[in-house]
Amino acid sequence: MQLFTKAKTRSLVDFALKSGFTLRKQGNGYAAKHCPCCSPGGNDAMSIFPKDGVWRWNCFRCKRGGTVVDFAAAVWGIPEKQAAMRLANEGEIEEAFLPPPAPSIPALDESLKDALVSLLKNGHTSVRECVEYLASRGISERVVVEAVRRGLLRFLPADPYQANKMLNERLGVAALRQSGLLRLDARWPGIAFRPMMFFFPGCSAAEFRLARPPKEGEPKAIRYGHVKWPWWWKEGNKVSTIYIVEGVIDLLSMVELGLKEGEAVIGIPGTTSWREEWLTAARKAHPDAKFVVALDADEAGQEAARVLTEVLEAMDAQVIERIPGGHDWNEHLLAVRAAA
């Protein structure tokens, strides 16, 4: 076995924990406040995730990343080759669990899209507990109904047992497993516990969210699929202003704050999960529109806002940066409601 290949069989998660990093479970991976190359901040900066049978890490703050070899080299302050030699002979670090190779992307995408189309078609249009939770976030029933009408939102039963039963009846276990919504080693799909289903255009992907505040270390949302286009909401045909916000709850919050005729909102799925082609398409479809980059007020949001602004200005677009009155636009909405 070659040196680097053997070194990569060491568990990145175990090495990070033994090196003093605090990890928080996030989807099928982990998150941390910082990576070995930067200092802790207020929000998660580093993610650890499995890819192609190997655990990898990525930091959105300093843009570093790699495998356990790169991680160890940064922690120990030595060249990668020396780190690989040390890891290969390090008996106290656990062997990594290497997940089996994923199905080919086209086949997985097709199965997942079929499942998501079925969920959009068969999902509930209203669930009391979900509507009440959204109301607690300042999202009115009027906006919920409109989101359902536009094909953005559907619901599973709020009770996980009933949600699991519905998923088995409407999709079947085979389709759930084939689509990736149900892991081979799991009895229940994780989405049964996250009844709010937010669909991306074309059902290429969907985000499943809790209908309650998350417990400590619990991911509030799970996303499946490859986001080909972001969430999109517009009022009227001729668009003069396009807001760019983080996530679907902020998109609905902008709508709730009073989206005017000729205004639209793009909801990107994360500060590092956007594509330049989305901006190019929006610019081409609405050449006279100005863009309002309105990401979260935290470090990650403002760094992403800077990059987005540079990309748009390179397209000769009119760009305005706007910071919400709180951490994000949902917090801003709640503050406005409280002051009314």
Side-chain angles (χ1 to χ4, degrees), residues 60 120 190 275 294-295 318 321 331:
F60 72 78
L120 180 62
R275 299 180 189 173
L295 303 189
Q318 181 184 353
E321 289 192 41
E331 190 173 293

Side-chain angles (χ1 to χ4, degrees), residues 20 25 33 41 49 177 190 204 234 249 251 258 260-261 294 315:
K25 193 76 176 73
K33 296 290 186 184
F49 54 93
R177 292 197 187 282
S204 64
K234 71 172 182 175
I249 296 297
L251 179 146
K260 300 180 180 66
E261 181 79 11
M315 300 177 188

Side-chain angles (χ1 to χ4, degrees), residues 164-220:
N164 184 53
K165 181 180 178 182
M166 174 180 164
L167 289 167
N168 279 279
E169 290 176 348
R170 303 291 172 86
L171 272 69
V173 173
L176 286 168
R177 292 197 187 282
Q178 189 175 4
S179 65
L181 293 173
L182 177 61
R183 299 197 318 266
L184 293 175
D185 60 343
R187 294 179 60 189
W188 284 32
I191 63 174
F193 299 88
R194 292 166 177 81
M196 298 191 298
M197 303 185 289
F198 292 97
F199 295 89
F200 288 90
C203 282
S204 64
E207 186 172 284
F208 299 81
R209 297 178 66 99
L210 295 170
R212 55 171 174 77
K215 300 174 183 176
E216 185 177 357
E218 180 183 30
K220 63 184 176 183

Side-chain angles (χ1 to χ4, degrees), residues 92 122 210:
E92 293 186 2
N122 297 299
L210 295 170

Side-chain angles (χ1 to χ4, degrees), residues 115-332:
L116 295 181
V117 168
S118 179
L119 287 173
L120 180 62
K121 180 180 178 181
N122 297 299
H124 294 322
T125 57
S126 181
V127 169
R128 177 179 57 80
E129 293 88 344
C130 297
V131 174
E132 289 177 353
Y133 172 73
L134 288 170
S136 74
R137 300 290 298 271
I139 311 300
S140 67
E141 189 170 354
R142 174 188 65 82
V143 171
V144 170
V145 169
E146 181 61 18
V148 168
R149 188 190 71 80
R150 293 178 181 228
L152 171 67
L153 177 61
R154 291 291 188 275
F155 303 102
L156 294 171
D159 174 30
Y161 176 82
Q162 294 299 327
N164 184 53
K165 181 180 178 182
M166 174 180 164
L167 289 167
N168 279 279
E169 290 176 348
R170 303 291 172 86
L171 272 69
V173 173
L176 286 168
R177 292 197 187 282
Q178 189 175 4
S179 65
L181 293 173
L182 177 61
R183 299 197 318 266
L184 293 175
D185 60 343
R187 294 179 60 189
W188 284 32
I191 63 174
F193 299 88
R194 292 166 177 81
M196 298 191 298
M197 303 185 289
F198 292 97
F199 295 89
F200 288 90
C203 282
S204 64
E207 186 172 284
F208 299 81
R209 297 178 66 99
L210 295 170
R212 55 171 174 77
K215 300 174 183 176
E216 185 177 357
E218 180 183 30
K220 63 184 176 183
I222 303 176
R223 189 183 310 138
Y224 287 92
H226 299 274
V227 181
K228 296 180 179 179
W229 297 103
W231 289 298
W232 168 260
W233 188 300
K234 71 172 182 175
E235 295 294 342
N237 294 318
K238 184 174 176 57
V239 176
S240 58
T241 303
I242 300 174
Y243 295 91
I244 303 177
V245 301
E246 284 183 50
V248 69
I249 296 297
D250 271 12
L251 179 146
L252 295 176
S253 297
M254 290 292 289
V255 174
E256 196 67 57
L257 284 163
L259 208 62
K260 300 180 180 66
E261 181 79 11
E263 293 184 333
V265 188
I266 291 174
I268 61 173
T271 55
T272 59
S273 302
W274 57 274
R275 299 180 189 173
E276 187 172 336
E277 66 190 67
W278 300 347
L279 307 180
T280 303
R283 176 83 172 122
K284 184 177 180 181
H286 309 286
D288 299 324
K290 67 179 178 182
F291 290 81
V292 180
V293 180
L295 303 189
D296 292 0
D298 58 17
E299 181 182 354
Q302 291 311 294
E303 172 62 20
R306 182 187 65 79
V307 176
L308 279 164
T309 298
E310 290 178 356
V311 171
L312 286 165
E313 287 178 343
M315 300 177 188
D316 293 324
Q318 181 184 353
V319 189
I320 299 171
E321 289 192 41
R322 185 177 173 189
I323 301 176
H327 170 75
D328 56 28
W329 289 103
N330 186 247
E331 190 173 293
H332 180 80

